[in-house]
Amino acid sequence: MSFFADKQALVTEILGRYPQGRERSAVMPLLREVQNAEGYVSEARVAEIAQIIGSTATEVKSVMSFYSTYSSVPTGKYHLQVCMTLSCALKGSDQMWDYLTDVLEINQAEVTPDGLFSLQKVECLGSCGTAPLMQVSDAGYYECLTKKRLDALLADMRARGDGSLPPSDTRAPIYFEPHPSSPAPVTSSEPGGTA
Ligand code: FES
């Protein structure tokens, strides 16, 4: 069944954002519509988008593969994206990943039987100073993670169960020598601090 068949006004509005002859530029907002509605972009939706913008499925997939925000497989209500790039790796992201696969009993691109959680390894999330971290779904960054903080976050998400996110807890990096204008650093004495 088509996703966009009953959304012609939306398709027209999206295509209208770009000059005539540049319909291929609409690939990302069209992907976003599907990703938001269905949690992932299936082969059938890729083909549909390619047809709308006068492109090929291969080209649409090449855009998808560049951005971790699009998934080609179903995701859970809480899509946990763990940064595995250098700064996070040096701060234990491998161990964090192993811990998550153990407690959730799923692996890369899998969803827990209750549909709540899915896991994905991603490249640098752009917050290397607060490694290790993960992004949940399309929003929340959870930084300076430890087992203790992960357990608390997973318990919070389980209790919510509706995809709503625990409060953002963006943390200040720990500076060797705090700059006068820096926010107060997190210390191990704070609840949920380094454990
Ligand atoms: S290396 Fe993980 S956020 Fe940059």
Side-chain angles (χ1 to χ4, degrees), residues 16 36 41-42 79 108 116 120 131 135 137 142 167 184 195:
N36 285 350
V41 186
S42 65
H79 186 46
Q108 169 88 344
L116 269 188
Q120 183 182 3
Q135 180 179 358
S137 302
Y142 300 94

Side-chain angles (χ1 to χ4, degrees), residues 80-99:
L80 312 184
Q81 298 147 82
V82 180
C83 175
M84 305 300 288
T85 309
L86 185 59
S87 295
C88 287
L90 292 172
K91 295 296 288 284
S93 59
D94 282 322
Q95 293 92 322
M96 191 168 102
W97 176 266
D98 290 344
Y99 184 67

Side-chain angles (χ1 to χ4, degrees), residues 1 3 5 8 10 51 64 85-86 89 101 122 127 140 147 156 169 180 194:
M1 193 171 131
F3 177 81
Q8 282 312 304
L10 174 66
Q51 194 264 329
M64 279 182 68
T85 309
L86 185 59
T101 59
V122 297
S127 186
K147 277 186 187 177
D156 191 329
D169 68 344
T194 50

